[in-house]
Amino acid sequence: MPAVPPPTPLAAIGRRRFLLTAWPWRSAGYLVSSVPVAFTAGLPLAMLGLPWLLALSPDADFGERAFLAALGALLIAGLGPLLTMPLARLESHRLRLVDDRPVRAGHRPLSGPGVRTWLRTRYREPVTWRELGYFLLMISVVPLAYAALLSMLAFLAACLASPLILLGGDGPMALGPAKVGTTADALPFAISALVLLPAVPYLLAVSAGAHGALARALLQRGSGERLQAELVEVARSRARLVDAFEAERRRIERDLHDGAQQRLLDLTMRLGLVHLDLPPGSPAADGVADAHQQAKRLMEELRELIRGIHPRVLTDRGLAAALRELADRSPLDVTVEAELPARPPVHVESTAYFAATEALTNAAKHSEAGRARVAARWDGDVLTVEVADDGVGGADPGRGTGLTGMADRVAVIDGRLLVSSPAGGPTVVRVELPCSLNDHSPG
């Protein structure tokens, strides 16, 4: 099996042929290109942080220093991300010089258009503030580290060049804490620098690798943010599936209503007309009459089936009207309280209706109730549907009363089901569905 190439210079340092790879040159390129990036970020950030410098003035009193410090913090926090976010994208691309691993995008997609949405989303993301922190380090700590590295390289270069410089009699010259005046005095320093010269690529790789590791840690999305983004995508995918399911349900309802039901209605009418033309009491008349009755019963069953798939009144007139029709068809004496200021989204409206349907069906079949109450209202950003009956109580999801399926259906759109059903009653089934008035359906 071929060896996996190292993704970073830090991982490549331990390889025997490191000096023959491109990593030393890539590391040098990364370090050199950091200088214009630091300058580009440093100048505007220094201007934003100018109140901090003024706060250090010996002539400023405590109140002025506190005001200037707060002003500097507000400027950095308010305007700094607007500068560092585009620079962070540049850094993500530049990171490829010292890191072959893919860089995951730090910012999540926007939930909608508009400047307000952009500001609300970006300023709430942790990665935005990590990017700002990275560039604050880039203009404060990183220059110190690079200055130390440059000093070491300059010292080695001076040691190597010292014998040649002193040949012209331009001595003495300082090499760190020591001073040399002749070529003979400089030779030990030159030899030592020559011996240490192969270590320079390793030093560059360590410096560039450490800088790249810092950039990757601060600029890319963390594990918690990745999980959150994945959960958001799962929620969106689930919402798309719910919408597709509702669209398919309504298509089936429309096809049955406009196709099969109309043909069955035509068949029922024809059988009725044929029955009128046959002699009363004849075997043929009795057979046609029986077929006519069966066709009418089938018509009623088909209507109930269509209502169960997606009632037409829910599509045409909304949840409140559908709940009132549901109450009229229930064997219980049902009171409906549903005054909604607007229509909820289709998937929310459908879930609320079928939850009420299931709750009333359970009350009629299992609770020995005679009366029930259905209430639908909007509480803030939650649509609440509550079904209460005067039955014997004791509703238990484990007994197959439909509560488990109702809870699963409600959970699909991040809602929740609450049930209160003590022995002896009454039973109250409450469904809470997240739904803002701003998300209502037209019509």
Side-chain angles (χ1 to χ4, degrees):
M1 180 181 296
V4 178
T8 66
L10 294 179
I13 283 178
R15 303 292 178 95
R16 286 182 295 179
R17 300 175 61 85
F18 170 74
L19 294 178
L20 301 178
T21 65
W23 284 116
W25 300 104
R26 292 173 63 176
S27 299
Y30 185 76
L31 295 174
V32 171
S33 62
S34 296
V35 176
V37 175
F39 182 79
T40 302
L43 186 60
L45 286 177
M47 295 180 64
L48 294 177
L50 187 60
W52 289 346
L53 298 178
L54 297 177
L56 299 177
S57 172
D59 298 330
D61 58 26
F62 177 78
E64 292 173 340
R65 291 179 179 179
F67 171 76
L68 291 172
L71 178 61
L74 288 175
L75 289 175
I76 291 289
L79 300 178
L82 300 178
L83 167 71
T84 57
M85 276 188 277
L87 287 177
R89 289 196 294 270
L90 171 63
E91 279 294 277
S92 297
H93 291 292
R94 202 172 65 88
L95 184 59
R96 296 173 184 172
L97 284 171
V98 290
D99 198 331
D100 289 335
R101 295 170 296 178
V103 180
R104 288 177 288 268
H107 296 283
R108 61 176 181 264
L110 297 176
S111 58
V115 176
R116 185 176 178 181
T117 300
W118 186 91
L119 291 174
R120 184 174 61 250
T121 302
R122 293 294 176 251
Y123 276 74
R124 288 180 177 178
E125 291 178 313
V127 69
T128 299
W129 305 107
R130 291 205 306 269
E131 289 171 353
L132 178 60
Y134 169 78
F135 282 102
L136 290 176
L137 292 175
M138 186 84 165
I139 65 174
S140 58
V141 177
V142 171
L144 297 177
Y146 277 33
L149 174 63
L150 185 61
S151 299
M152 296 176 62
L153 296 178
F155 176 72
L156 286 178
C159 290
L160 285 172
S162 60
L164 298 175
I165 294 174
L166 292 175
L167 278 176
D170 295 331
M173 64 178 297
L175 296 176
K179 287 187 177 182
V180 293
T182 65
T183 301
D185 294 335
L187 279 177
F189 290 93
I191 295 172
S192 299
L194 190 62
V195 172
L196 293 175
L197 193 60
V200 171
Y202 291 90
L203 183 61
L204 296 178
V206 169
S207 302
H211 189 172
L214 175 66
R216 170 173 283 276
L218 294 180
L219 298 182
Q220 82 164 354
R221 184 181 298 165
S223 58
E225 294 168 276
R226 291 198 302 272
L227 178 59
Q228 182 182 10
E230 291 172 1
L231 290 176
V232 169
E233 183 56 33
V234 167
R236 290 176 178 172
S237 176
R238 186 174 62 181
R240 289 193 294 269
L241 288 175
V242 170
D243 291 340
F245 176 75
E246 288 300 327
E248 184 66 13
R249 177 200 294 272
R250 296 174 71 170
R251 185 191 65 79
I252 294 173
E253 179 268 337
R254 184 175 60 252
D255 291 345
L256 288 176
H257 183 274
D258 298 337
Q261 183 174 256
Q262 294 302 320
R263 289 193 293 272
L264 185 58
L265 177 62
D266 182 65
L267 174 62
T268 304
M269 294 177 62
R270 289 176 180 273
L271 288 173
L273 293 174
V274 170
H275 180 258
L276 293 177
D277 293 337
L278 293 174
S282 66
D286 293 341
V288 170
D290 183 56
H292 188 215
Q293 292 300 319
Q294 291 186 30
K296 289 197 290 185
R297 286 195 295 270
L298 182 58
M299 174 74 74
E300 290 299 322
E301 292 177 3
L302 183 59
R303 285 174 178 168
E304 290 298 321
L305 176 62
I306 293 174
R307 290 194 188 101
I309 293 175
H310 196 95
R312 179 57 62 94
V313 66
L314 181 64
T315 302
D316 296 340
R317 299 173 55 195
L319 180 61
L323 291 177
R324 293 187 180 95
E325 184 191 71
L326 179 64
D328 293 338
R329 292 189 287 109
S330 174
L332 305 178
D333 180 12
V334 181
T335 302
V336 177
E337 301 171 5
E339 297 297 333
L340 302 177
R343 290 189 62 172
V346 173
H347 62 281
V348 175
E349 193 173 58
S350 177
T351 301
Y353 173 79
F354 285 106
T357 301
E358 184 66 33
L360 281 180
T361 301
N362 288 342
K365 288 184 177 180
H366 307 291
S367 70
E368 302 177 15
R371 300 169 60 184
R373 179 181 63 86
V374 179
R377 60 183 178 274
W378 231 314
D379 294 331
D381 289 340
V382 177
L383 177 67
T384 301
V385 177
E386 188 175 278
V387 179
D389 66 65
D390 61 354
V392 297
D396 181 7
R399 293 194 337 220
T401 57
L403 293 177
T404 301
M406 190 192 308
D408 292 341
R409 182 172 185 136
V410 168
V412 166
I413 58 173
D414 293 328
R416 64 174 184 165
L417 173 69
L418 305 174
V419 179
S420 173
S421 185
T427 296
V428 179
V429 178
R430 179 186 176 97
V431 173
E432 297 178 352
L433 305 174
C435 175
S436 172
L437 270 171
N438 296 327
D439 301 330
H440 67 84
S441 298

